[in-house]
Amino acid sequence: DQQVKQNSPSLSVQEGRISILNCDYTNSMFDYFLWYKKYPAEGPTFLISISSIKDKNEDGRFTVFLNKSAKHLSLHIVPSQPGDSAVYFCAARSGGSNYKLTFGKGTLLTVNP
Amino acid sequence: DAMVIQNPRYQVTQFGKPVTLSCSQTLNHNVMYWYQQKSSQAPKLLFHYYDKDFNNEADTPDNFQSRRPNTSFCFLDIRSPGLGDAAMYLCATSRDMADGGYTFGSGTRLTVV
């Protein structure tokens, strides 16, 4: 069973507009959430993270929002640029002594010039 | 630049013929992970090493083994590859278990013929 779900396999937006990538999770023990970005033929690279004690974290054009009651997080990219075109993976970390990351299937973002 | 290097990038092996995938790191991180990612699926953790301590996931088949002879290197051994083992294999490192910002290698694409 998937504990981290990215229900949109793909998303297409125009350059300069906002990209919103969504992620849902089922495990209440997750205490830390991360977004990774993956270009073709490269490994995923860490993008931004958020602790479960926060509801927002911002880093330049990237903002992650966490809604614990809904078990939902989203990644906002404003403004979107063609270089943002990649697969974005949502990941969640369990608290306690088990710190392993559980990944979603990823969402392919295409930013059109 | 400090990095995680996986060799080879592409590996073709015969059904049932043992194969070894290699991962090296120059980050001096304590933890090394192996993930399996099949097409359109989430990366799935196979096992990890914290220093010399090996931790196997409960659902990782016995067909998959790993070795970490020193801090820098980690190997994934598939004793008898089946067609279902064709996937991208990703190696990742982190400073410690609580560090969710993994550094990934570019992956090895395994084809079983």
Side-chain angles (χ1 to χ4, degrees), chain B residues 18-49:
Chain B
V19 65
T20 295
L21 309 182
S22 167
C23 177
S24 65
Q25 55 132 340
T26 60
L27 298 157
N28 206 32
H29 281 173
N30 290 314
V31 194
M32 295 188 78
Y33 308 84
W34 280 104
Y35 279 85
Q36 179 194 61
Q37 186 184 17
K38 296 185 178 180
S39 181
S40 302
Q41 298 296 311
K44 178 180 176 297
L45 181 64
L46 295 174
F47 25 60
H48 73 273
Y49 272 95

Side-chain angles (χ1 to χ4, degrees), chain A residues 88-106:
Chain A
Y88 289 79
F89 290 98
C90 173
R93 189 190 73 183
S94 302
S97 60
N98 180 357
Y99 287 117
K100 294 174 286 189
L101 291 187
T102 301
F103 285 84
K105 291 184 178 182

Side-chain angles (χ1 to χ4, degrees), chain B residues 11 13-17 19 21 35-39 46 60-64 76-89 108-113:
Chain B
Q11 176 74 58
T13 190
Q14 289 182 329
F15 182 95
K17 184 175 181 180
V19 65
L21 309 182
Y35 279 85
Q36 179 194 61
Q37 186 184 17
K38 296 185 178 180
S39 181
L46 295 174
T60 297
D62 293 340
N63 199 24
F64 291 85
L76 169 62
D77 301 308
I78 309 176
R79 293 191 296 187
S80 181
L83 297 178
D85 297 327
M88 173 70 80
Y89 290 88
T108 294
R109 170 75 64 185
L110 178 69
T111 300
V112 182
V113 297

Side-chain angles (χ1 to χ4, degrees), chain A residues 2 4 32 34 36 38 40-46 87 89 93 97-106, chain B residues 9-10 33 35 37 40-43 45 48 56-57 88 90 97-107:
Chain A
Q2 269 188 277
V4 177
Y32 194 67
L34 308 95
Y36 283 80
K38 184 183 182 305
E42 295 183 13
T45 56
F46 170 71
V87 176
F89 290 98
R93 189 190 73 183
S97 60
N98 180 357
Y99 287 117
K100 294 174 286 189
L101 291 187
T102 301
F103 285 84
K105 291 184 178 182
Chain B
R9 292 294 303 272
Y10 300 92
Y33 308 84
Y35 279 85
Q37 186 184 17
S40 302
Q41 298 296 311
L45 181 64
H48 73 273
N56 201 29
E57 292 301 294
M88 173 70 80
L90 294 164
M97 290 299 294
D99 176 12
Y102 294 2
T103 302
F104 280 88
S106 297

Side-chain angles (χ1 to χ4, degrees), chain A residues 43-87:
Chain A
T45 56
F46 170 71
L47 185 59
I48 192 170
S49 63
I50 187 168
S51 165
S52 60
I53 62 173
K54 295 187 175 182
D55 55 16
K56 177 182 175 181
N57 188 28
E58 195 170 351
D59 183 2
R61 297 186 297 112
F62 303 90
T63 303
V64 57
F65 296 92
L66 175 61
N67 182 333
K68 283 183 65 179
S69 60
K71 293 190 175 67
H72 177 83
L73 64 155
S74 60
L75 174 68
H76 292 211
I77 306 173
V78 184
S80 301
Q81 300 173 354
D84 296 329
S85 298
V87 176

